[in-house]
Amino acid sequence: MNRKSLLYESKVEYGGWTINHAQGCSHGCRYPCYAMMLAQRTGRAKTYEDWCAPKLVDNALSLLDAEIPRLRHRVESVHLSFTTDPFMFDAGAQAPLRPMVELTTAIIRRLNDEGIRVTTLTKGVYPDDFIEQVSSLHDQNQYGVSVVSLSEDFREWWEPGAAPIASRLASARRLADAGGRTWASIEPYPTPNVDPTSADIRPLLSALESVRKVVFGKWNYSSLVSSFPEANGHYEKAAVAVAAWSQEGGKILHIKNGTPLSEAHSADVLSAG
Ligand code: SF4
C-alpha cells in the first residue's frame, strides 16, 4: 500500500515524531490493541484477521526522502512505532517478519544518516543481523522491548502472534551487550485474575536487568482488570517494586499517568542518554 505522508507528531504520552510504516500488526494483541480499534473505526481494517495481515507502506522511503528536507530542523528523534510494530514477528515461521525488518532497518539508517536518532519498541525480536549493525547506527538510538509477563500461557492468549517472551528478552540482552541503549515497556501490566504470575513483578524485573530505562503502566479500560477486587493494592505494590528496582539499578523510570507513583516518576524515557 502507498501513503501520502509518513512523519507525524504524536500527542500521546511520551509521544513525539513518529513513523508507522505498516497498516496492521501480525501480533494481534487482545488487550485490546487501540491501533486496531482505531483502524476498524476508520475502515482501514475490517476484521481482526485483516489487522493481523499487515500491509507495508511501499513508498515509505521515498516519502521520507521528500519529508526530511522540509522537517529536518524540527525533528530531533523519531519513534517507531505507535500503531504497528517495527520488528514484527512471523509466528508461523517463528522468525522475524523479514520485509518489515528490512524496511525498518532502512528507515533507521536513513534517519540516522541525517543525524536524527530513533527510538523503537517491539513485541518481536531484534534479529542478529540487525544487532550486528548497531555499532554503525546513531549512538543515541534507544531500542525497546515490550514485556508484561514471563508467562507463555499469558502470551499465547493475549499476544498470540508476538515473539516468545524469552526470545524478546534474549534479543534485548544481545543488543545491550552490543552497546545498544535498551529500554523496556511494562504496560499494560495485568492483574492476577488475568495472569497469576503478575502477583509478584520481581522475577520479570530481574529478567529485564540489562535495560537502562523503563516505562510502567497499569492495564486500563478492561472490565476484567477493574473487576479484580484488589486491583488498586496490586498496582501500588507493583509500582513500589518497580521504583525500588529502578533506583537500585540506576535505571530511568517513567510511570504512566493513572498508575500509582506516576507523579514521582515521570522521566522522559525516549530522550537521549
Ligand atoms: S504489538 Fe502493538 S500494534 Fe501490534 S497488535 Fe500488539 S498492541 Fe497492537
Side-chain angles (χ1 to χ4, degrees):
M1 63 173 282
N2 281 351
R3 286 229 178 103
K4 291 190 177 144
S5 63
L6 195 69
L7 267 165
Y8 75 102
E9 206 167 8
S10 166
K11 303 294 177 211
V12 305
E13 195 179 352
Y14 72 92
W17 289 95
T18 302
I19 288 177
N20 299 305
H21 44 298
Q23 167 63 48
C25 178
S26 62
H27 297 162
C29 302
R30 302 185 213 257
Y31 306 132
C33 167
Y34 298 105
M36 181 187 75
M37 292 199 306
L38 184 64
Q40 288 182 326
R41 259 206 309 274
T42 55
R44 285 176 288 124
K46 289 189 177 56
T47 61
Y48 175 78
E49 289 71 23
D50 198 14
W51 172 257
C52 294
K55 299 171 194 69
L56 271 56
V57 177
D58 297 322
N59 62 339
L61 291 169
S62 54
L63 284 172
L64 209 49
D65 284 341
E67 291 174 357
I68 282 176
R70 192 161 40 83
L71 296 171
R72 174 67 194 91
H73 66 291
R74 295 175 58 197
V75 182
E76 184 258 328
S77 74
V78 172
H79 182 63
L80 309 177
S81 301
F82 280 124
T83 68
T84 188
D85 192 305
F87 287 90
M88 222 179 279
F89 197 65
D90 179 344
Q94 284 293 292
L97 195 66
R98 272 290 152 189
M100 186 65 180
V101 169
E102 276 157 27
L103 181 55
T104 296
T105 305
I107 288 171
I108 293 174
R109 212 165 256 295
R110 180 73 181 87
L111 290 166
N112 284 178
D113 286 349
E114 295 289 335
I116 300 171
R117 64 186 189 84
V118 170
T119 63
T120 60
L121 181 61
T122 186
K123 287 188 185 77
V125 294
Y126 293 93
D128 287 344
D129 57 351
F130 176 79
I131 294 172
E132 282 163 15
Q133 299 178 50
V134 159
S135 61
S136 68
L137 296 172
H138 199 303
D139 67 0
Q140 292 294 328
N141 287 348
Q142 315 272 330
Y143 306 102
V145 282
S146 175
V147 184
V148 298
S149 172
L150 293 178
S151 163
E152 274 297 303
D153 287 345
F154 173 91
R155 202 268 314 150
E156 278 176 21
W157 173 253
W158 292 101
E159 305 166 342
I165 293 155
S167 309
R168 283 182 237 173
L169 293 167
S171 80
R173 276 194 297 273
R174 282 199 296 277
L175 253 174
D177 290 345
R181 293 171 183 266
T182 55
W183 65 288
S185 171
I186 311 176
E187 192 244 342
Y189 192 65
T191 44
N193 59 328
V194 176
D195 172 17
T197 72
S198 71
D200 185 358
I201 197 170
R202 290 170 302 178
L204 175 58
L205 297 176
S206 297
L208 288 167
E209 210 49 68
S210 66
V211 305
R212 305 171 67 250
K213 303 180 180 183
V214 180
V215 173
F216 176 69
K218 63 187 279 207
W219 190 316
N220 290 313
Y221 311 117
S222 163
S223 54
L224 202 54
V225 168
S226 55
S227 69
F228 181 65
E230 302 300 329
N232 289 343
H234 169 69
Y235 283 121
E236 272 173 33
K237 183 178 154 200
V240 166
V242 174
W245 171 78
S246 299
Q247 192 176 12
E248 278 163 27
K251 298 180 195 303
I252 295 164
L253 171 63
H254 177 88
I255 297 185
K256 293 196 82 177
N257 291 339
T259 301
L261 305 188
S262 64
E263 286 174 11
H265 300 282
S266 57
D268 183 356
V269 165
L270 299 185
S271 65

